[in-house]
Amino acid sequence: MEKIVDTSDEWILSRTGISERRICADNEFSSDMAVNAAQKAIAMAGLTPADIDLILIGTVTPDYRVPSLACIVQKKMEMYNSAAMDIVAACAGFLNGLAVGNAFIKSGQFRKILIIGVEKLSSITDYKDRNTCVLFGDGAGAVVLEETADDRGILSTYLKSDGRFTELLWIPDGGTINPCQKIKGRDAEVYLKMNGSEVFKHAVRMMGEASLKALHSAGLTGKDVTWLIPHQANIRIIESTAKRVGISMDRVYLNIAMYGNTSSASVPMALDEANRAGRLKKNDIILMTAFGGGLTWASAVVRW
Ligand code: UT7
Protein backbone atom coordinates (compact mmCIF):
# COMPACT_ATOMS: atom_id res chain seq x y z
CA MET A 1 0.00 0.00 0.00
CA GLU A 2 2.92 2.32 0.78
CA LYS A 3 4.04 1.90 -2.82
CA ILE A 4 0.73 2.90 -4.38
CA VAL A 5 -0.62 5.70 -2.12
CA ASP A 6 0.74 8.18 0.43
CA THR A 7 0.33 6.03 3.55
CA SER A 8 2.30 3.92 5.98
CA ASP A 9 1.87 0.43 7.32
CA GLU A 10 2.06 1.92 10.82
CA TRP A 11 -0.84 4.35 10.09
CA ILE A 12 -3.05 1.65 8.63
CA LEU A 13 -2.41 -0.86 11.41
CA SER A 14 -2.84 1.61 14.27
CA ARG A 15 -5.99 3.32 12.82
CA THR A 16 -7.71 0.21 11.48
CA GLY A 17 -6.08 -3.04 12.69
CA ILE A 18 -5.62 -4.14 9.08
CA SER A 19 -2.31 -5.56 7.93
CA GLU A 20 -3.23 -7.76 4.95
CA ARG A 21 -6.03 -8.07 2.39
CA ARG A 22 -6.87 -10.78 -0.12
CA ILE A 23 -7.43 -9.60 -3.70
CA CYS A 24 -8.91 -11.75 -6.48
CA ALA A 25 -7.03 -12.49 -9.66
CA ASP A 26 -8.33 -10.56 -12.69
CA ASN A 27 -10.09 -13.69 -13.95
CA GLU A 28 -11.71 -14.55 -10.58
CA PHE A 29 -15.15 -13.11 -9.96
CA SER A 30 -17.70 -12.83 -7.16
CA SER A 31 -19.50 -15.92 -8.49
CA ASP A 32 -16.28 -17.99 -8.26
CA MET A 33 -15.76 -17.07 -4.60
CA ALA A 34 -19.47 -17.54 -3.87
CA VAL A 35 -19.49 -21.03 -5.43
CA ASN A 36 -16.39 -22.01 -3.48
CA ALA A 37 -17.96 -20.94 -0.17
CA ALA A 38 -21.36 -22.43 -1.05
CA GLN A 39 -19.90 -25.85 -1.92
CA LYS A 40 -18.16 -26.02 1.45
CA ALA A 41 -21.24 -24.87 3.40
CA ILE A 42 -23.53 -27.36 1.63
CA ALA A 43 -21.06 -30.21 2.21
CA MET A 44 -20.71 -29.27 5.89
CA ALA A 45 -24.51 -29.35 6.21
CA GLY A 46 -24.51 -32.89 4.76
CA LEU A 47 -26.63 -31.78 1.81
CA THR A 48 -26.27 -31.59 -1.96
CA PRO A 49 -26.92 -28.53 -4.16
CA ALA A 50 -30.21 -30.08 -5.31
CA ASP A 51 -31.55 -29.84 -1.73
CA ILE A 52 -31.36 -26.03 -1.69
CA ASP A 53 -34.69 -24.30 -2.35
CA LEU A 54 -33.64 -20.65 -1.92
CA ILE A 55 -30.35 -18.85 -2.62
CA LEU A 56 -29.87 -15.44 -0.98
CA ILE A 57 -26.71 -13.47 -1.68
CA GLY A 58 -25.65 -10.33 0.14
CA THR A 59 -23.41 -8.39 -2.24
CA VAL A 60 -22.75 -4.99 -3.78
CA THR A 61 -20.36 -6.51 -6.33
CA PRO A 62 -22.38 -8.93 -8.47
CA ASP A 63 -20.83 -10.29 -11.69
CA TYR A 64 -23.35 -8.23 -13.71
CA ARG A 65 -25.92 -5.56 -12.86
CA VAL A 66 -28.48 -7.88 -14.45
CA PRO A 67 -29.12 -10.72 -13.69
CA SER A 68 -28.58 -11.26 -9.98
CA LEU A 69 -25.42 -12.94 -8.73
CA ALA A 70 -27.70 -15.53 -7.10
CA CYS A 71 -28.84 -16.64 -10.59
CA ILE A 72 -25.22 -16.93 -11.80
CA VAL A 73 -24.33 -19.05 -8.76
CA GLN A 74 -27.47 -21.14 -9.30
CA LYS A 75 -26.32 -21.89 -12.86
CA LYS A 76 -22.71 -22.67 -11.90
CA MET A 77 -23.88 -25.10 -9.18
CA GLU A 78 -26.88 -26.45 -11.09
CA MET A 79 -29.21 -25.73 -8.16
CA TYR A 80 -32.33 -25.73 -10.28
CA ASN A 81 -34.70 -26.61 -7.42
CA SER A 82 -34.31 -23.15 -5.97
CA ALA A 83 -35.42 -19.54 -6.17
CA ALA A 84 -32.57 -17.05 -6.19
CA MET A 85 -32.15 -13.38 -5.30
CA ASP A 86 -29.57 -10.81 -4.22
CA ILE A 87 -29.86 -8.61 -1.16
CA VAL A 88 -28.25 -5.19 -1.45
CA ALA A 89 -27.50 -3.90 2.04
CA ALA A 90 -23.74 -3.23 1.77
CA CYS A 91 -21.76 -4.62 4.72
CA ALA A 92 -25.00 -5.68 6.44
CA GLY A 93 -26.00 -7.77 3.38
CA PHE A 94 -25.25 -11.16 4.92
CA LEU A 95 -27.12 -10.42 8.16
CA ASN A 96 -30.07 -9.03 6.19
CA GLY A 97 -30.00 -12.31 4.24
CA LEU A 98 -29.91 -14.31 7.45
CA ALA A 99 -32.95 -12.44 8.79
CA VAL A 100 -34.87 -12.87 5.51
CA GLY A 101 -33.95 -16.56 5.37
CA ASN A 102 -35.02 -17.04 8.98
CA ALA A 103 -38.41 -15.47 8.24
CA PHE A 104 -38.89 -17.73 5.20
CA ILE A 105 -38.02 -20.83 7.24
CA LYS A 106 -40.50 -19.78 9.94
CA SER A 107 -43.21 -19.14 7.33
CA GLY A 108 -42.63 -22.61 5.86
CA GLN A 109 -42.22 -21.25 2.33
CA PHE A 110 -38.62 -22.47 1.98
CA ARG A 111 -36.90 -25.29 3.86
CA LYS A 112 -33.20 -25.26 2.99
CA ILE A 113 -31.72 -21.86 2.32
CA LEU A 114 -28.20 -21.06 1.15
CA ILE A 115 -27.09 -17.63 2.34
CA ILE A 116 -23.86 -16.19 0.95
CA GLY A 117 -21.98 -12.98 1.66
CA VAL A 118 -19.51 -12.22 -1.11
CA GLU A 119 -17.62 -9.20 -2.40
CA LYS A 120 -15.01 -8.47 -4.99
CA LEU A 121 -14.46 -5.01 -3.50
CA SER A 122 -11.22 -4.68 -5.47
CA SER A 123 -13.45 -4.18 -8.55
CA ILE A 124 -15.01 -1.00 -7.08
CA THR A 125 -12.01 0.33 -5.15
CA ASP A 126 -10.04 3.35 -6.32
CA TYR A 127 -6.41 2.40 -5.74
CA LYS A 128 -5.49 6.09 -5.96
CA ASP A 129 -7.66 6.96 -2.93
CA ARG A 130 -5.85 6.31 0.36
CA ASN A 131 -9.06 6.95 2.30
CA THR A 132 -10.54 3.70 1.00
CA CYS A 133 -8.03 1.46 -0.78
CA VAL A 134 -6.11 0.51 2.36
CA LEU A 135 -9.31 -0.86 3.92
CA PHE A 136 -10.94 -3.23 1.46
CA GLY A 137 -10.41 -6.84 0.42
CA ASP A 138 -12.21 -9.63 -1.45
CA GLY A 139 -13.81 -12.77 -0.01
CA ALA A 140 -16.87 -14.94 0.50
CA GLY A 141 -18.59 -16.88 3.26
CA ALA A 142 -21.75 -18.98 3.31
CA VAL A 143 -24.19 -20.77 5.60
CA VAL A 144 -27.07 -23.18 5.08
CA LEU A 145 -30.20 -22.51 7.12
CA GLU A 146 -32.83 -25.13 7.90
CA GLU A 147 -35.43 -25.83 10.58
CA THR A 148 -34.31 -27.65 13.72
CA ALA A 149 -36.32 -29.63 16.22
CA ASP A 150 -34.43 -28.35 19.29
CA ASP A 151 -34.10 -24.85 20.74
CA ARG A 152 -30.82 -24.03 19.00
CA GLY A 153 -30.44 -21.75 15.97
CA ILE A 154 -31.41 -18.13 15.36
CA LEU A 155 -32.89 -16.62 18.53
CA SER A 156 -33.39 -13.09 17.21
CA THR A 157 -32.47 -10.68 14.44
CA TYR A 158 -32.54 -6.90 14.19
CA LEU A 159 -32.44 -4.88 10.96
CA LYS A 160 -32.42 -1.11 10.46
CA SER A 161 -31.58 1.44 7.76
CA ASP A 162 -31.38 5.22 7.41
CA GLY A 163 -31.37 6.44 3.80
CA ARG A 164 -30.69 10.05 4.86
CA PHE A 165 -26.98 9.19 4.93
CA THR A 166 -26.68 7.88 1.35
CA GLU A 167 -23.70 10.03 0.44
CA LEU A 168 -21.47 8.96 3.32
CA LEU A 169 -20.65 5.70 1.52
CA TRP A 170 -21.64 5.34 -2.11
CA ILE A 171 -20.78 5.07 -5.80
CA PRO A 172 -22.12 8.26 -7.43
CA ASP A 173 -22.17 7.16 -11.09
CA GLY A 174 -23.44 4.23 -13.10
CA GLY A 175 -27.00 4.16 -11.75
CA THR A 176 -30.12 5.73 -13.26
CA ILE A 177 -29.32 9.25 -12.00
CA ASN A 178 -25.88 9.35 -13.61
CA PRO A 179 -25.83 6.54 -16.17
CA CYS A 180 -22.46 6.12 -17.85
CA GLN A 181 -23.69 7.28 -21.28
CA LYS A 182 -24.73 10.67 -19.82
CA ILE A 183 -21.43 11.49 -18.12
CA LYS A 184 -19.71 14.06 -20.30
CA GLY A 185 -16.64 16.17 -19.65
CA ARG A 186 -15.55 14.44 -16.45
CA ASP A 187 -14.28 11.05 -15.31
CA ALA A 188 -17.05 8.69 -14.22
CA GLU A 189 -17.12 8.13 -10.45
CA VAL A 190 -17.57 4.39 -10.44
CA TYR A 191 -15.53 3.63 -7.34
CA LEU A 192 -16.61 3.54 -3.70
CA LYS A 193 -16.42 6.94 -2.01
CA MET A 194 -16.52 7.20 1.76
CA ASN A 195 -16.57 9.92 4.38
CA GLY A 196 -14.58 7.76 6.79
CA SER A 197 -14.80 9.77 9.99
CA GLU A 198 -18.59 10.31 9.68
CA VAL A 199 -19.17 6.64 8.86
CA PHE A 200 -16.99 5.76 11.86
CA LYS A 201 -19.20 7.77 14.26
CA HIS A 202 -22.40 6.16 13.00
CA ALA A 203 -20.83 2.70 12.98
CA VAL A 204 -19.86 2.89 16.65
CA ARG A 205 -23.37 3.95 17.65
CA MET A 206 -25.32 1.64 15.33
CA MET A 207 -23.38 -1.62 15.81
CA GLY A 208 -23.87 -1.16 19.56
CA GLU A 209 -27.57 -0.38 19.12
CA ALA A 210 -28.15 -3.35 16.80
CA SER A 211 -26.36 -5.69 19.21
CA LEU A 212 -28.33 -4.54 22.26
CA LYS A 213 -31.68 -4.72 20.40
CA ALA A 214 -31.10 -8.29 19.18
CA LEU A 215 -29.90 -9.40 22.62
CA HIS A 216 -32.95 -7.78 24.22
CA SER A 217 -35.31 -9.60 21.81
CA ALA A 218 -33.62 -12.88 22.74
CA GLY A 219 -33.98 -12.11 26.46
CA LEU A 220 -30.20 -11.96 26.85
CA THR A 221 -27.47 -9.45 27.76
CA GLY A 222 -23.82 -9.03 26.82
CA LYS A 223 -22.88 -11.28 29.76
CA ASP A 224 -24.58 -14.23 28.05
CA VAL A 225 -22.59 -13.87 24.82
CA THR A 226 -19.90 -16.51 24.25
CA TRP A 227 -18.64 -14.93 21.01
CA LEU A 228 -19.18 -11.58 19.37
CA ILE A 229 -18.56 -11.98 15.64
CA PRO A 230 -18.61 -8.44 14.27
CA HIS A 231 -18.22 -6.94 10.82
CA GLN A 232 -14.46 -6.50 10.50
CA ALA A 233 -14.27 -2.88 9.32
CA ASN A 234 -12.06 -1.25 11.93
CA ILE A 235 -10.63 -2.62 15.18
CA ARG A 236 -11.54 0.62 16.98
CA ILE A 237 -15.20 0.31 15.94
CA ILE A 238 -15.19 -3.31 17.13
CA GLU A 239 -13.64 -2.38 20.49
CA SER A 240 -16.24 0.37 21.07
CA THR A 241 -19.08 -1.99 20.16
CA ALA A 242 -17.81 -4.71 22.50
CA LYS A 243 -17.45 -2.19 25.34
CA ARG A 244 -20.95 -0.79 24.83
CA VAL A 245 -22.48 -4.28 24.86
CA GLY A 246 -20.38 -5.42 27.85
CA ILE A 247 -18.28 -8.04 26.07
CA SER A 248 -14.56 -8.37 26.82
CA MET A 249 -12.21 -8.46 23.83
CA ASP A 250 -11.18 -12.07 24.54
CA ARG A 251 -14.75 -13.02 23.54
CA VAL A 252 -14.58 -11.13 20.22
CA TYR A 253 -13.59 -13.09 17.12
CA LEU A 254 -11.16 -11.04 15.06
CA ASN A 255 -9.64 -11.69 11.65
CA ILE A 256 -9.51 -8.09 10.41
CA ALA A 257 -5.71 -8.13 10.34
CA MET A 258 -5.71 -10.87 7.68
CA TYR A 259 -8.54 -9.78 5.38
CA GLY A 260 -9.45 -6.12 5.97
CA ASN A 261 -13.01 -5.03 5.30
CA THR A 262 -14.75 -7.49 2.97
CA SER A 263 -18.23 -5.93 3.37
CA SER A 264 -20.99 -8.57 3.34
CA ALA A 265 -18.44 -11.41 3.29
CA SER A 266 -16.92 -10.26 6.56
CA VAL A 267 -19.30 -11.82 9.13
CA PRO A 268 -19.77 -15.23 7.42
CA MET A 269 -16.01 -15.51 6.81
CA ALA A 270 -15.31 -14.87 10.49
CA LEU A 271 -18.11 -17.24 11.55
CA ASP A 272 -16.76 -20.00 9.32
CA GLU A 273 -13.18 -19.46 10.43
CA ALA A 274 -14.16 -19.58 14.12
CA ASN A 275 -16.21 -22.73 13.50
CA ARG A 276 -13.53 -24.58 11.52
CA ALA A 277 -10.97 -23.65 14.18
CA GLY A 278 -13.17 -25.46 16.72
CA ARG A 279 -13.84 -22.28 18.69
CA LEU A 280 -17.66 -22.56 18.61
CA LYS A 281 -19.21 -25.13 20.97
CA LYS A 282 -22.75 -26.49 21.07
CA ASN A 283 -25.11 -24.05 22.85
CA ASP A 284 -22.64 -21.14 22.66
CA ILE A 285 -24.42 -17.81 22.27
CA ILE A 286 -23.11 -16.05 19.16
CA LEU A 287 -23.83 -12.38 18.54
CA MET A 288 -23.18 -11.17 14.98
CA THR A 289 -23.42 -7.52 14.02
CA ALA A 290 -22.65 -5.42 10.96
CA PHE A 291 -22.90 -1.90 9.64
CA GLY A 292 -22.50 -0.37 6.20
CA GLY A 293 -23.55 1.92 3.37
CA GLY A 294 -27.16 2.95 3.11
CA LEU A 295 -26.79 3.40 5.98
CA THR A 296 -27.74 -0.11 7.07
CA TRP A 297 -27.09 -1.98 10.29
CA ALA A 298 -28.08 -5.39 11.54
CA SER A 299 -27.48 -8.10 14.09
CA ALA A 300 -28.42 -11.67 14.93
CA VAL A 301 -28.21 -13.82 18.05
CA VAL A 302 -27.69 -17.54 17.52
CA ARG A 303 -27.57 -20.46 19.94
CA TRP A 304 -24.92 -22.61 18.20
O1 UT7 B 1 -17.66 -1.25 6.18
C1 UT7 B 1 -18.52 -0.34 6.76
C2 UT7 B 1 -18.18 1.04 6.58
N1 UT7 B 1 -16.84 1.44 6.75
C3 UT7 B 1 -16.32 1.67 7.96
O2 UT7 B 1 -16.84 1.30 8.96
C4 UT7 B 1 -15.07 2.52 8.02
C5 UT7 B 1 -15.26 3.61 9.02
N2 UT7 B 1 -14.17 4.57 9.09
C6 UT7 B 1 -12.91 4.27 9.50
O3 UT7 B 1 -12.60 3.10 9.73
C7 UT7 B 1 -11.94 5.38 9.70
O4 UT7 B 1 -12.63 6.60 9.66
C8 UT7 B 1 -10.78 5.42 8.67
C9 UT7 B 1 -9.85 4.25 8.93
C10 UT7 B 1 -11.34 5.34 7.27
C11 UT7 B 1 -9.98 6.70 8.83
O5 UT7 B 1 -9.48 6.80 10.15
P1 UT7 B 1 -9.70 8.13 11.00
O6 UT7 B 1 -8.96 7.97 12.26
O7 UT7 B 1 -11.18 8.37 11.09
O8 UT7 B 1 -9.00 9.22 10.12
P2 UT7 B 1 -9.65 10.52 9.45
O9 UT7 B 1 -10.58 10.15 8.35
O10 UT7 B 1 -10.17 11.42 10.53
O11 UT7 B 1 -8.36 11.16 8.85
C12 UT7 B 1 -7.28 11.59 9.67
C13 UT7 B 1 -6.11 11.93 8.75
C14 UT7 B 1 -6.52 12.81 7.57
O12 UT7 B 1 -5.48 13.74 7.38
P3 UT7 B 1 -5.66 15.27 7.81
O13 UT7 B 1 -6.85 15.77 7.06
O14 UT7 B 1 -5.89 15.21 9.29
O15 UT7 B 1 -4.38 15.89 7.41
C15 UT7 B 1 -6.55 11.84 6.42
O16 UT7 B 1 -6.28 12.46 5.18
O17 UT7 B 1 -5.58 10.73 8.19
C16 UT7 B 1 -5.45 10.89 6.79
N3 UT7 B 1 -5.56 9.60 6.14
C17 UT7 B 1 -4.51 8.80 5.94
N4 UT7 B 1 -3.21 8.93 6.26
C18 UT7 B 1 -2.38 7.91 5.93
C19 UT7 B 1 -6.67 8.99 5.64
N5 UT7 B 1 -6.36 7.78 5.12
C20 UT7 B 1 -5.02 7.65 5.28
C21 UT7 B 1 -4.09 6.64 4.95
N6 UT7 B 1 -2.80 6.81 5.30
N7 UT7 B 1 -4.47 5.50 4.33
Side-chain angles (χ1 to χ4, degrees):
M1 302 312 301
E2 288 173 353
K3 283 183 187 153
I4 62 172
V5 285
D6 179 14
T7 190
S8 68
D9 189 43
E10 194 280 327
W11 189 96
I12 302 168
L13 196 57
S14 62
R15 297 288 183 113
T16 70
I18 298 167
S19 78
E20 296 181 23
R21 317 117 193 101
R22 269 66 200 155
I23 304 295
C24 281
D26 287 345
N27 62 352
E28 268 180 306
F29 307 104
S30 288
S31 58
D32 299 313
M33 292 187 287
V35 166
N36 202 323
Q39 285 169 336
K40 289 177 181 164
I42 291 170
M44 191 182 255
L47 300 174
T48 68
D51 296 319
I52 300 298
D53 56 8
L54 177 64
I55 307 164
L56 296 172
I57 303 191
T59 191
V60 293
T61 49
D63 286 7
Y64 306 106
R65 285 196 65 188
V66 181
S68 69
L69 181 61
C71 283
I72 306 291
V73 170
Q74 179 188 43
K75 179 176 74 172
K76 285 192 170 183
M77 293 183 67
E78 300 182 2
M79 291 190 280
Y80 298 122
N81 297 326
S82 68
M85 66 179 100
D86 289 357
I87 291 186
V88 182
C91 306
F94 172 77
L95 288 178
N96 275 255
L98 198 70
V100 171
N102 188 39
F104 271 132
I105 297 270
K106 283 187 170 161
S107 77
Q109 188 168 347
F110 295 102
R111 300 173 69 82
K112 292 187 169 38
I113 304 180
L114 173 66
I115 303 165
I116 305 171
V118 58
E119 302 291 2
K120 184 173 176 174
L121 289 183
S122 58
S123 68
I124 55 168
T125 296
D126 180 358
Y127 285 96
K128 292 192 175 102
D129 178 8
R130 71 175 183 174
N131 291 300
T132 52
C133 73
V134 301
L135 306 173
F136 299 127
D138 300 336
V143 301
V144 175
L145 211 59
E146 60 182 329
E147 202 176 359
T148 55
D150 58 21
D151 63 352
R152 293 185 300 134
I154 297 174
L155 304 182
S156 65
T157 59
Y158 177 80
L159 304 180
K160 196 80 193 293
S161 307
D162 191 337
R164 285 172 295 185
F165 298 106
T166 309
E167 293 173 21
L168 292 186
L169 180 46
W170 67 323
I171 298 179
D173 292 337
T176 59
I177 292 183
N178 298 317
C180 292
Q181 69 270 31
K182 279 201 182 163
I183 296 161
K184 298 270 181 331
R186 65 173 171 88
D187 289 337
E189 294 193 80
V190 290
Y191 295 122
L192 269 176
K193 288 179 71 158
M194 180 170 72
N195 180 334
S197 52
E198 278 304 306
V199 170
F200 188 99
K201 282 183 224 156
H202 289 288
V204 165
R205 189 165 58 78
M206 290 161 172
M207 293 231 303
E209 175 199 296
S211 300
L212 292 171
K213 295 262 188 193
L215 283 170
H216 183 73
S217 300
L220 300 172
T221 71
K223 290 195 185 75
D224 301 305
V225 173
T226 323
W227 284 107
L228 169 62
I229 301 190
H231 172 42
Q232 315 272 324
N234 186 314
I235 186 73
R236 293 182 291 141
I237 296 174
I238 295 172
E239 285 166 352
S240 302
T241 303
K243 193 170 172 196
R244 171 128 183 248
V245 185
I247 298 171
S248 56
M249 284 307 286
D250 59 341
R251 291 189 285 141
V252 180
Y253 191 82
L254 293 173
N255 63 7
I256 185 170
M258 289 284 288
Y259 305 108
N261 182 346
T262 56
S263 185
S264 64
S266 172
V267 168
M269 277 167 57
L271 179 71
D272 180 65
E273 209 177 70
N275 185 34
R276 285 176 199 273
R279 309 282 282 277
L280 311 183
K281 306 279 185 266
K282 191 174 174 184
N283 286 317
D284 276 359
I285 297 293
I286 315 286
L287 169 64
M288 294 176 274
T289 185
F291 169 90
L295 298 174
T296 55
W297 57 109
S299 58
V301 178
V302 172
R303 186 183 301 282
W304 193 251

